[in-house]
Amino acid sequence: MKKDTVCRMCSSCCPVEVEVVAGKLVSAQRKSFLDQDKRSPCLKLQAAADIVYSDQRITTPLIRAKDGSFCPASWDEALDLVASRFLHYKQQAQPEAVGWLRGMAADWGAPWDYANRLMNCYGSPNTIGNGSICFVAREMAHTYTYGAMAFPEAARARCILVWGKHDADTTLGVADAIKHALSNGAKLIVIDPIQTPLAGKADIWLQIKPGHDGLLAMAMINEIISQDLQDHAFIEGFTTGFDQLREVAGRYAIDRIAPDIWLDPQQVREAARLYATTRPACLIDGNGLDMQLDIFQSTRAVACLRGITGNIDRPGGDVLPQPIPLRPLQARDRLPAGVTPITAPYPLFNAFSETWGNQVQSCVVDAILDQKPYGLKMLVVQAGNPVVTMADSGRARRALRQLEFLVVIDLFMTRTARLADVILPAAGCFEKTQLNRAATRNNPIILQDQVIEPVGQSWPDWKIVFELGRRIGLEQEFPWPSVEAAIDDQLAPAGVTVERLRQESGGVRVEGLRHEKYLQDGFATPSGKFEFFSSRLQESGQAGVPYGDGFPESLISFGDQRQDFPLIGISGRRDIRFTNSQYRTIPALLKGEDGCVIDIHPVDAASRQIVTGDQLQVTTPRGTLTMPARVSSVVHPGSIRIAWGWGDYKAGYNLNSLTDDAVRNPVTGTPGQRTFMCRVSKV
Ligand SMILES: Nc1nc2c(c(=O)[nH]1)N[C@H]1C(S)=C(S)[C@@H](COP(=O)(O)OP(=O)(O)OC[C@H]3O[C@@H](n4cnc5c(=O)[nH]c(N)nc54)[C@H](O)[C@@H]3O)O[C@H]1N2
Ligand SMILES: Nc1nc2c(c(=O)[nH]1)N[C@H]1C(S)=C(S)[C@@H](COP(=O)(O)OP(=O)(O)OC[C@H]3O[C@@H](n4cnc5c(=O)[nH]c(N)nc54)[C@H](O)[C@@H]3O)O[C@H]1N2
Ligand code: SF4
Ligand SMILES: [Mo]
């Protein structure tokens, strides 16, 4: 039998059709507007059955015994134990000593709301996401510029500027759209320090010095304005602060900037001209900007390019979302007044959106180890593997070990789960019904619908949260007998039900797609305009215009220690076979240790007598890692690319043993996990 759902094995949220035989998932196919043979392939989806039925799945709740081993337990035993710990801190009048840390895997839509609801009603403000390193920091920069995160309408674009994103590995719907546009003759500009497959197809590829995107964005703004290529009507009618931006950008002349960031001035000029003069143009920004110390201002500068050229919210440009009206489920009003979250040092980031809340995960470690701003004693980790994925993982690990009580909700025995007191086995994406963020931010709403029964004794995340809530005295707050009832409740303002979503598996559109909504509604900023200049930022002591107060001394982790650490390390490729630290236990995907390498340029390799296959030790002031070398000119001389996501498979491959969490972006709390100074030697 064929069943429709949404795959959530990565954040792409692809609509898929699953073949189910005798109650078992057999195979799955991604849907797309492209013909079958033209669609970007997903190797994870091809291995879906291997992942779902992997013998590595955790299939019963596990409780740590006195001798340190894990003992299988019933759900009643495990949940009662977790609930008793929640109640313990409540009785001690310190519910805020309990935190809930969420990774990316169970989605940021309804599952994020449920966890927040439980914690808010319980009395702790410390539901913490990992958005400071993922796209939420970028979303904040978009929001401060034009009210929401813009989405590229690549399929209709005549020019596509891809800035730090590689959709063929990470976001297949967009990869299909790019393919389609290119086959219709669209121009392509790629800004990436790596010669990616996409860079190979580009009309112009700018191999930027890693982490220096803000400088390039300012130089491009300057060039477009000085050549008078800007969209005058849009700027005059709908923006604020253009003169200030022009003034600041004027300090960044291409001829001076380009050589410092490894670029040819003429090529940058051509890229600026091509982007500014080909309409419509969309600008696809990605995680290459995230995880950088400079994330907020660099993304603000990149976002300004959309306004300079008037490409915002136009067909084939970068469209603004039409969020679906939802009943708020987070119960923020239930938090007692005056309780500050542990993320208090990042107030702008905590408050920039109605639903994101606390996203600086590094604060969890500060709170546990340094009691800053106060101590955390118990933590629930849901759908994340922080021991591997957080910056300075040695420190993150020390913190988790120091907790009085750790609960992990996961499908697999990760390095984080191994530290837990209780492990609650979660059902995977095909085993549960869920309302994802991607489905509510933009039309249409597509349901992630359960297509098979949960494996073993695993439970869907929603059920774990609801049942735990009921056991800590929140029966009234979790009244829903099923997830369908909860989703219906949340979708009521939109007039959509789960039943209807199941009937219309292609998705339900609440409101027709509209462009140039600002003509009628303005932008959702304080001024109602596209804000090159933000008075909100200025009043909060930040630069009102990107880089209005100059560039930070160093844009890269350990930038002040260049003498001893002369190479730039780049956190590497997101391989289509894996999602962050996941899936290396699946033999069909692992294929030896294919791709687990350090790419080093022939020039840097020759001067160190390194050849492909040599074991290389990388060192930063935080730690070391050893991996095989691959001599390759995909990287620029002076930089190396280290494979990302192998730290759960083998501790010695953990890239985050190298990264730093001491210096962070002042607005978003983002550590420099993408780019850092390092040195290499042959083992
Ligand atoms: N150096 C460096 N560090 C990085 C990155 C990088 O590129 N380089 N990337 C960063 C980014 S952008 C992100 S988002 C983070 C990701 O960090 P994490 O969120 O920690 O990512 P994953 O390794 O994908 O871990 C997800 C965990 O959730 C489990 N899981 C999967 N599905 C479900 C589910 O439905 N329910 C539950 N309960 N569990 C589930 C998986 O088994 C896995 O153990 O890492 C960040 N860290
Ligand atoms: N297969 C797979 N898919 C995934 C994930 C996964 O782990 N595996 N993770 C999911 C998650 S959590 C996220 S956040 C998204 C991220 O997905 P993307 O936004 O596509 O991010 P990446 O693929 O990490 O990096 C994108 C590009 O940025 C480039 N880059 C690196 N440093 C710089 C820099 O300094 N400047 C510029 N301009 N570019 C740079 C890289 O070389 C790479 O080509 O993918 C999601 N989808
Ligand atoms: S890219 Fe692959 S793994 Fe990710 S959601 Fe789409 S089909 Fe699933
Ligand atoms: Mo992410």
Side-chain angles (χ1 to χ4, degrees):
M1 194 201 313
K2 298 236 193 290
K3 293 186 175 182
D4 296 303
T5 184
V6 167
C7 174
R8 189 61 182 74
M9 293 195 293
C10 82
S11 46
S12 256
C13 290
C14 300
V16 293
E17 189 180 68
V18 176
E19 174 77 24
V20 178
V21 176
K24 289 235 164 192
L25 181 149
V26 176
S27 63
Q29 298 263 358
R30 210 168 61 79
K31 297 185 205 166
S32 166
F33 71 99
L34 290 183
D35 293 339
Q36 192 71 36
D37 58 323
K38 299 210 174 88
R39 292 175 196 178
S40 310
C42 178
L43 300 177
K44 283 188 291 303
L45 192 68
Q46 286 170 21
D50 294 353
I51 295 171
V52 170
Y53 303 112
S54 161
D55 60 4
Q56 303 291 308
R57 286 276 302 264
I58 306 172
T59 52
T60 67
L62 297 169
I63 297 179
R64 190 178 292 282
K66 287 220 165 63
D67 67 0
S69 64
F70 282 116
C71 293
S74 69
W75 275 102
D76 275 336
E77 286 170 308
L79 283 178
D80 282 343
L81 176 57
V82 175
S84 73
R85 300 307 298 176
F86 266 89
L87 295 171
H88 166 78
Y89 295 106
K90 185 98 172 177
Q91 277 148 14
Q92 307 266 308
Q94 42 178 305
E96 69 281 1
V98 181
W100 191 298
L101 177 62
R102 285 189 85 256
M104 53 76 63
D107 202 74
W108 298 280
W112 171 243
D113 295 333
Y114 301 152
N116 272 275
R117 182 178 184 84
L118 181 138
M119 292 292 280
N120 287 340
C121 295
Y122 165 72
S124 171
N126 295 320
T127 316
I128 314 289
N130 68 359
S132 57
I133 43 154
C134 195
F135 70 92
V136 185
R138 201 165 6 110
E139 176 162 335
M140 179 178 172
H142 285 237
T143 303
Y144 264 78
T145 313
Y146 33 73
M149 188 155 197
F151 293 85
E153 213 169 66
R156 296 169 75 175
R158 302 297 307 151
C159 175
I160 301 176
L161 168 48
V162 180
W163 203 315
K165 195 143 198 287
H166 201 257
D167 292 294
D169 284 327
T170 61
T171 324
L172 296 190
V174 178
D176 284 355
I178 295 175
K179 255 191 208 171
H180 178 74
L182 295 184
S183 70
N184 284 341
K187 297 287 181 194
L188 177 67
I189 304 165
V190 171
I191 301 173
D192 200 305
I194 305 288
Q195 187 175 21
T196 61
L198 190 73
K201 294 188 189 134
D203 295 280
I204 301 177
W205 165 44
L206 299 179
Q207 189 177 21
I208 190 170
K209 184 174 181 181
H212 288 67
D213 301 271
L215 282 160
L216 175 61
M218 293 308 281
M220 285 175 68
I221 292 171
N222 184 28
E223 175 69 11
I224 291 170
I225 297 174
S226 55
Q227 298 300 315
D228 200 27
L229 301 176
Q230 69 271 31
D231 184 331
H232 290 272
F234 179 78
I235 290 168
E236 269 153 42
F238 305 100
T239 70
T240 127
F242 178 72
D243 290 338
Q244 285 114 304
L245 180 68
R246 176 173 51 194
E247 199 265 308
V248 173
R251 301 171 202 161
Y252 302 96
I254 284 186
D255 289 313
R256 187 174 61 80
I257 298 296
D260 285 348
I261 56 174
W262 298 354
L263 296 175
D264 167 18
Q266 192 47 34
Q267 231 199 353
V268 179
R269 261 193 201 102
E270 281 163 22
R273 171 169 287 275
L274 184 62
Y275 171 65
T277 57
T278 319
R279 304 282 165 84
C282 72
L283 196 169
I284 304 178
D285 56 15
N287 203 235
L289 294 172
D290 304 336
M291 295 188 287
Q292 306 277 13
L293 289 178
D294 193 31
I295 165 75
F296 184 65
Q297 301 227 57
S298 65
T299 309
R300 270 267 290 153
V302 169
C304 286
L305 281 164
R306 300 189 173 97
I308 298 286
T309 55
N311 277 303
I312 191 80
D313 217 20
R314 292 206 175 133
D318 302 297
V319 297
L320 289 168
Q322 294 166 259
I324 278 109
L326 294 176
R327 178 165 291 157
L329 284 194
Q330 293 188 5
R332 289 185 172 200
D333 54 326
R334 290 289 300 277
L335 254 191
V339 198
T340 44
I342 54 171
T343 54
Y346 305 96
L348 292 185
F349 193 40
N350 293 342
F352 87 90
S353 107
E354 290 289 308
T355 51
W356 275 130
N358 304 305
Q359 293 287 334
V360 185
Q361 58 175 355
S362 297
C363 292
V364 169
V365 179
D366 302 345
I368 300 169
L369 290 181
D370 306 332
Q371 317 289 304
K372 271 188 193 158
Y374 53 80
L376 269 193
K377 296 179 177 168
M378 167 172 169
L379 190 67
V380 179
V381 175
Q382 180 191 14
N385 191 5
V387 163
V388 174
T389 57
M390 282 183 72
D392 192 354
S393 48
R395 184 168 175 265
R397 187 184 168 80
R398 271 202 308 287
L400 294 202
R401 289 181 73 101
Q402 196 167 307
L403 285 163
E404 289 176 4
F405 202 72
L406 174 64
V407 181
V408 172
I409 308 174
D410 207 298
L411 286 79
F412 290 98
M413 186 59 82
T414 62
R415 287 187 189 277
T416 303
R418 284 182 215 171
L419 303 179
D421 295 287
V422 175
I423 302 176
L424 303 175
C429 62
F430 301 109
E431 303 152 46
K432 61 182 172 181
T433 295
Q434 183 165 290
L435 185 63
N436 292 320
R437 187 175 158 87
T440 56
R441 289 263 296 147
N442 301 287
N443 291 314
I445 316 174
I446 303 177
L447 188 69
Q448 178 185 315
D449 202 9
Q450 180 178 348
V451 294
I452 50 170
E453 288 301 311
V455 167
Q457 302 294 312
S458 68
W459 277 11
D461 289 85
W462 65 265
K463 187 169 169 184
I464 297 172
V465 177
F466 291 11
E467 280 297 325
L468 180 60
R470 289 170 192 144
R471 279 165 212 252
I472 59 172
L474 303 174
E475 298 86 350
Q476 290 185 358
E477 288 78 3
F478 290 94
W480 308 288
S482 63
V483 76
E484 286 83 356
I487 296 174
D488 282 350
D489 203 2
Q490 193 164 17
L491 283 176
V496 178
T497 60
V498 169
E499 198 190 335
R500 181 161 163 218
L501 291 172
R502 284 183 174 148
Q503 277 158 11
E504 299 174 43
S505 64
V508 172
R509 200 169 267 285
V510 174
E511 183 191 33
L513 189 63
R514 292 191 293 137
H515 292 93
E516 295 181 293
K517 299 178 279 292
Y518 57 84
L519 294 176
Q520 219 180 352
D521 313 334
F523 289 96
T525 56
S527 64
K529 304 253 171 148
F530 185 115
E531 297 195 346
F532 297 124
F533 171 82
S534 161
S535 51
R536 262 190 303 182
L537 285 175
Q538 192 173 56
E539 283 153 19
S540 319
Q542 307 297 330
V545 163
Y547 303 108
D549 51 6
F551 266 77
E553 188 88 335
S554 173
L555 298 168
I556 301 183
S557 287
F558 315 123
D560 55 344
Q561 298 180 57
R562 283 195 168 77
Q563 298 294 50
D564 297 328
F565 301 94
L567 287 174
I568 300 182
I570 305 175
S571 173
R573 180 169 176 210
R574 292 180 128 77
D575 191 311
I576 189 68
R577 292 171 296 161
F578 309 116
T579 303
N580 297 308
S581 72
Q582 300 181 61
Y583 306 133
R584 271 83 177 174
T585 53
I586 309 299
L589 295 174
L590 186 64
K591 294 194 223 132
E593 290 181 5
D594 185 17
C596 180
V597 291
I598 295 168
D599 289 300
I600 181 163
H601 192 273
V603 169
D604 293 319
S607 64
R608 294 168 174 82
Q609 281 97 46
I610 290 166
V611 296
T612 295
D614 282 348
Q615 291 293 321
L616 285 195
Q617 185 174 61
V618 185
T619 306
T620 70
R622 282 299 155 265
T624 64
L625 156 158
T626 303
M627 256 185 210
R630 176 168 64 190
V631 178
S632 160
S633 51
V634 297
V635 289
H636 192 281
S639 63
I640 57 169
R641 176 175 68 168
I642 306 160
W644 159 238
W646 291 85
D648 200 74
Y649 170 72
K650 193 163 165 183
Y653 289 161
N654 188 357
L655 206 162
N656 283 318
S657 59
L658 302 173
T659 55
D660 176 54
D661 199 12
V663 180
R664 302 175 195 156
N665 182 281
V667 178
T668 61
T670 307
Q673 263 166 287
R674 172 71 77 178
T675 315
F676 42 85
M677 301 311 295
C678 61
R679 63 169 176 252
V680 293
S681 56
K682 216 154 84 164
V683 179

